[in-house]
Amino acid sequence: MRRPRGEPGSRAPRPTEGATCAGPGEPCFPSDGPLMCALEQERRFRLPPKPPPTLQPGLRSGQRLEAALSCPRFLRRPQQHLIRSLAEARPEELTPHVMVLLAQHLARHRLREPQLLEAIAHFLVVQEAQLSSKVVQKLVLPFGRLNYLPLEQQFMPCLERILAREAGVAPLATVNILMSLCQLRCLPFRALHFVFSPSFINHVSGTPHALIVRRYLSLLDTAVELELPGYRGPRLPRRQQVPIFPQPLITDRARCKYSHKDIVAEGLRQLLGEEKYRQDLTVPPGYCTDFLLCVSSSGAVLPVRTQDPFLPYPPRSCPQGQAASQPTTHDPAQRVVLMLRERWHFCRDGRVLLGSRALRERHLGLLGYQLLPLPFEELESQRGLPQLKSYLRQKLQALGLRWGPEGG
């Protein structure tokens, strides 16, 4: 029985963000897919662009910037407007609240705009004495997320002083700042000594955010293990460590309808057979892999069930506290990880990997896994499963991999 139009619960469910639906029961298409891009280009050709919403004329430059950042429709407006508004604002108008809005806007929409990021870095340095770590964590967030190390020379010294001053005041903010710096490969030793100290770990263990802090500390400990050969300070005890990313990230789960994972899985199934790859396998110390293959020294793709799919962690060539710059293993089987590089794994320009993705790939490589990236541009150019299988065959053969009766 159909509900009256005004009855509660009669509204149709909203389509997933980033998708466009023709109507009830019709298929949804990703907003950044080839079809929607072509339709949008045709719309722009036929219709004149709508002018951006006008802001109140009496507002000062800083207030106009804040109003623009608070506007839900702002993403559709050109970034040059943001740059112009920031340039016109007087220094006293750039408050922490305005700069946090700007930082959140860039991080949320994956906008790697150097002029705006440099402005945030300069503001952080100039206002260092007035900023708490809770504000600083929000200002630093876009740098790690967008994989952008600012040119501002005082950026790192400023953050080190803030961490030294406020580390014991706001533990979660401190770890959040270190997470952003970890993505940039800029971890200060003094701050690591503090967050790995028994007193800090005991302090956060009884807090509501204890699990998330332990996860971040586990990731920081992994970075120390793999990337910092000169670190000789305390480490996170093994009993305190938890898997870092035990499942696909939230953005991947939210956009699974638009991912190439299912079709790549089917291509691998038909090409290699189900027993010769594993999907969504979490390898120590807790990184979820898209697809993993085990390969013999002769290049034959082996059934995964006959091999331990994990490489040892810590790496056997990497004693506790030393970096794994040349990871080796006595196991003759090599592990190959196929990495899907979807469109949303990149900054908006589509060229630079987001910090979290770059970090995962960097650590998997240091652990000894051989990485085979599958970029979204290449995946989107394949027309149907036969073309995709041919594409995957070429990629695997380029690594010297063999399978089937001749490959074992």
Side-chain angles (χ1 to χ4, degrees), residues 304-340:
V304 178
R305 67 175 183 273
T306 65
Q307 300 290 319
D308 181 356
F310 305 130
L311 288 177
Y313 180 79
R316 290 172 183 162
S317 65
C318 179
Q320 179 96 357
Q322 296 184 7
S325 56
Q326 296 293 331
T328 58
T329 175
H330 300 296
D331 190 337
Q334 172 68 18
R335 275 66 168 185
V336 178
V337 175
L338 279 67
M339 309 287 296
L340 292 183

Side-chain angles (χ1 to χ4, degrees), residues 376-394:
F376 70 89
E377 305 99 328
E378 297 178 4
L379 293 171
E380 289 178 354
S381 66
Q382 310 307 314
R383 296 292 178 260
L385 189 57
Q387 275 196 21
L388 181 72
K389 285 170 59 180
S390 177
Y391 164 78
L392 292 174
R393 181 182 293 109
Q394 293 174 10

Side-chain angles (χ1 to χ4, degrees), residues 102-111 116-117 120 142 146:
L102 177 59
Q104 291 174 334
H105 178 83
L106 297 179
R108 182 181 302 116
H109 301 299
R110 313 194 320 274
L111 298 172
L116 298 175
L117 289 166
I120 296 173
L146 301 173

